[in-house]
């Protein structure tokens, strides 16, 4: 390593043993690597001790690492996680609201969730001649990002 504080850096045992030479702020990619390692809480104390020896100062380095941990990991990480969990539960509630209770439609059809159970011997007043009487019609969504109200589509189909 070509560092002005090379000799003092060799005293940072954990930093040297783990070969964290690339974890520095000499360029953008290396700095992003250090910040990512801190974000996932990967041996950030070892990295901090290495940077303390590299810079020759302890207080600014410790303040930086501690503040990044408090703001980045604890603060922003929890906010992002809570947004993801909240979106998941909102989606579950939307699906449950769409399901609703079983609903009877004219002609003896029962809509339950996204499927309809109907008597196939008579459809729209016409005798079909089918042997088995009970069939299930189901609306299958092709793309999950498209919001389709399956129950209203089945209701329209059987009324």
């Amino acid at each position: 390593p070509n560092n002005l504080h090379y000799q003092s850096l060799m005293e940072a045992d954990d930093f040297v043993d783990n070969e964290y030479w690339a974890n520095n702020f000499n360029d953008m990619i290396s700095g992003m690597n250090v910040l990512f390692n801190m974000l996932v809480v990967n041996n950030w104390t070892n990295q901090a001790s290495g940077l303390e020896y590299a810079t020759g100062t302890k207080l600014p380095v410790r303040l930086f690492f501690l503040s990044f941990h408090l703001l980045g990991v604890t603060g922003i990480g929890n906010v992002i996680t809570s947004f993801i969990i909240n979106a998941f539960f909102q989606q579950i509630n939307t699906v449950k609201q769409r399901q609703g209770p079983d609903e009877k439609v004219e002609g003896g059809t029962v809509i339950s969730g996204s499927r309809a159970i109907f008597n196939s011997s008579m459809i729209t007043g016409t005798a079909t001649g089918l042997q088995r009487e009970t069939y299930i019609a189901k609306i299958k969504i092709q793309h999950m990002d498209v919001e389709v109200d399956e129950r209203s589509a089945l209701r329209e189909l059987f009324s």
Side-chain angles (χ1 to χ4, degrees):
N2 52 359
N3 190 310
L4 299 174
H5 300 282
Y6 176 73
Q7 292 301 323
S8 65
L9 188 58
M10 294 305 287
E11 296 172 16
D13 292 335
D14 292 335
F15 189 84
V16 173
D17 292 342
N18 291 321
E19 297 180 4
Y20 282 156
W21 301 114
N23 292 353
N24 55 49
F25 288 99
N26 291 347
D27 56 55
M28 183 73 150
I29 300 299
S30 298
M32 288 172 53
N33 181 36
V34 172
L35 295 178
F36 178 76
N37 287 336
M38 288 172 53
L39 194 62
V40 295
V41 194
N42 182 19
N43 293 337
W44 69 277
T45 54
N46 297 343
Q47 294 180 35
S49 68
L51 290 176
E52 284 174 8
Y53 283 105
T55 59
T57 59
K58 286 189 175 192
L59 185 63
V61 172
R62 287 185 180 183
L63 283 175
F64 170 76
F65 275 82
L66 181 65
S67 62
F68 186 86
H69 183 77
L70 290 175
L71 293 174
V73 176
T74 309
I76 295 173
N78 285 337
V79 168
I80 290 172
T81 304
S82 67
F83 275 123
I84 292 170
I85 291 172
N86 187 31
F88 175 76
F89 281 118
Q90 281 181 343
Q91 191 67 27
I92 285 178
N93 287 338
T94 302
V95 169
K96 283 182 182 178
Q97 286 174 354
R98 280 179 160 175
Q99 297 282 324
D102 289 355
E103 173 184 350
K104 261 195 154 186
V105 183
E106 60 186 75
T109 302
V110 177
I111 297 176
S112 174
S114 63
R115 63 185 182 159
I117 302 167
F118 64 98
N119 183 350
S120 62
S121 62
M122 289 289 284
I123 298 179
T124 64
T126 307
T128 60
L130 294 172
Q131 300 297 323
R132 200 171 93 197
E133 288 188 4
T134 305
Y135 280 87
I136 297 175
K138 185 172 183 176
I139 301 289
K140 184 177 179 186
I141 301 172
Q142 294 296 322
H143 302 286
M144 294 306 290
D145 60 340
V146 177
E147 300 248 351
V148 174
D149 189 4
E150 299 96 346
R151 293 179 70 86
S152 66
L154 287 169
R155 204 176 301 114
E156 186 177 321
L157 181 67
F158 287 101
S159 55

